[in-house]
Amino acid sequence: MADINAIASQFTTFYYSTFDANRANLAPLYRDQSMLTFEGQQFLGVASISEKLTGLPFQKVIHKVTTIDAQPASSEIASLIVSVTGLLVVDDGDNPLQFSQIFHLIPEGGSYYVFNDIFRLNYGS
């Protein structure tokens, strides 16, 4: 298996730079069997996921990744689980929001697609 930490780092850099520039361009990373769980709501398939991501109620966002952890997800195929934590700066706000996101990446044609994507904001009590 290739260096999963390098793959995870390359993927997250691409994902968040694309998200921050134009969320609609994330659609090719998903497939019809992909699922996004966003703050507890589930979205199945490219169209549903893309609609959710492009419909988020902010104009500008900047992801600042703090940690990236990766593990092999299967002994059968070179899939991996990527766990990300970081900060979101939304619409030039003064108070960044903490987030965590988990991706299950499946190899396809020399690259990877997102099979599962779980996103949560992390609120302090």
Side-chain angles (χ1 to χ4, degrees), residues 12 16 64-69 82-87 99 101:
T12 54
Y16 294 120
K64 296 180 179 182
V65 172
T66 306
T67 66
I68 302 171
D69 296 298
V82 179
S83 175
V84 181
T85 63
L87 299 172
F99 78 95
Q101 192 160 12

Side-chain angles (χ1 to χ4, degrees), residues 24-100:
N25 291 338
L26 292 173
L29 294 176
Y30 297 92
R31 300 294 177 269
D32 287 337
Q33 69 273 20
S34 297
M35 179 170 278
L36 166 66
T37 301
F38 190 94
E39 290 289 297
Q41 291 183 290
Q42 293 184 326
F43 302 89
L44 179 63
V46 178
S48 180
I49 293 169
S50 185
E51 182 179 332
K52 175 60 182 176
L53 295 178
T54 58
L56 291 170
F58 47 80
Q59 299 303 309
K60 182 179 177 187
V61 64
I62 299 170
H63 288 82
K64 296 180 179 182
V65 172
T66 306
T67 66
I68 302 171
D69 296 298
Q71 293 183 353
S74 170
S75 59
E76 319 292 301
I77 61 171
S79 62
L80 58 146
I81 301 290
V82 179
S83 175
V84 181
T85 63
L87 299 172
L88 293 174
V89 178
V90 177
D91 290 332
D92 296 319
D94 292 331
N95 298 313
L97 303 169
Q98 294 183 22
F99 78 95
S100 61

